[in-house]
Amino acid sequence: WQAQGITSVLHEKRGGYANNRASMMGLAAKAEAEGVTILGHTEVTGFRFGGIMAGHIGRRLIRWALPLRTADMTDHARVRLHTALASLACWSAWAAFDAHRHAAAGHLWMLALESAVTVDQPDLRAHVLADIAASYNHHGHPADSLHLVRLADGDERTHPAIRAILQ
């Protein structure tokens, strides 16, 4: 079987390691046939370093990708690079935010915003502004949060579905 040597699998919720109940039941049947004891209804507590490790990996990837911004490439490749960089920066910003590294999260969101603006991606720009607004609101600055959401919503190029989410 392909999973030899695995000692534990954590299936958090729907969409974890399998996207349906039948797949998880099949995995459980194979494991039990091999003599594995399955503990169900188990709650994991005290898990540490999730956000910190995710953020660290994200920052390493960003450091690798940043020099590519000035490389010779097609316009299509440049858009894809900046879009990926913005998405990775947002993901890393939330990881930093969850680890209470709020200043680092702010820098990462600014990188994401810069990348979205550089390649003129209004939907991505709106997404980044919404993330920043959520962090401002979390820190007790609802007026600043609302201002950022209005900036995102005010760009008529933003797709109507994105604008609907912002409202």
Side-chain angles (χ1 to χ4, degrees), residues 75-95:
D75 289 340
H76 178 71
R78 187 168 310 287
V79 168
R80 290 184 66 193
L81 171 67
H82 280 275
T83 300
L85 187 56
S87 297
L88 181 59
C90 279
W91 177 76
S92 298
W94 278 119

Side-chain angles (χ1 to χ4, degrees), residues 6-162:
I6 291 180
T7 58
S8 61
V9 173
L10 175 63
H11 179 65
E12 296 179 18
K13 295 180 182 173
R14 281 188 162 169
Y17 281 94
N19 62 2
N20 61 55
R21 183 172 174 79
S23 295
M24 285 307 295
M25 298 307 286
L27 176 61
K30 285 184 179 186
E32 286 174 332
E34 296 291 324
V36 173
T37 301
I38 296 177
L39 302 173
H41 307 290
T42 304
E43 182 178 343
V44 176
T45 61
F47 185 74
R48 297 178 53 205
F49 305 118
I52 293 171
M53 288 306 295
H56 177 71
I57 292 166
R59 286 190 309 278
R60 297 283 294 222
L61 289 170
I62 289 168
R63 273 190 230 127
W64 173 82
L66 283 175
L68 297 175
R69 295 182 301 175
T70 58
D72 288 331
M73 64 184 80
T74 66
D75 289 340
H76 178 71
R78 187 168 310 287
V79 168
R80 290 184 66 193
L81 171 67
H82 280 275
T83 300
L85 187 56
S87 297
L88 181 59
C90 279
W91 177 76
S92 298
W94 278 119
F97 186 86
D98 289 344
H100 303 287
R101 299 182 63 241
H102 302 290
H107 291 295
L108 288 160
W109 275 312
M110 289 302 109
L111 173 60
L113 188 59
E114 176 189 333
S115 292
V117 169
T118 296
V119 292
D120 196 28
Q121 294 286 321
D123 293 340
L124 183 56
R125 176 183 166 270
H127 173 81
V128 175
L129 287 171
D131 281 357
I132 298 168
S135 73
Y136 278 22
N137 192 54
H138 176 81
H139 285 295
H141 303 287
D144 294 332
S145 178
L146 186 57
H147 178 72
L148 287 172
V149 170
R150 286 181 181 142
L151 280 174
D153 188 39
D155 188 341
E156 67 279 349
R157 300 171 304 149
T158 304
H159 191 277
I162 303 294

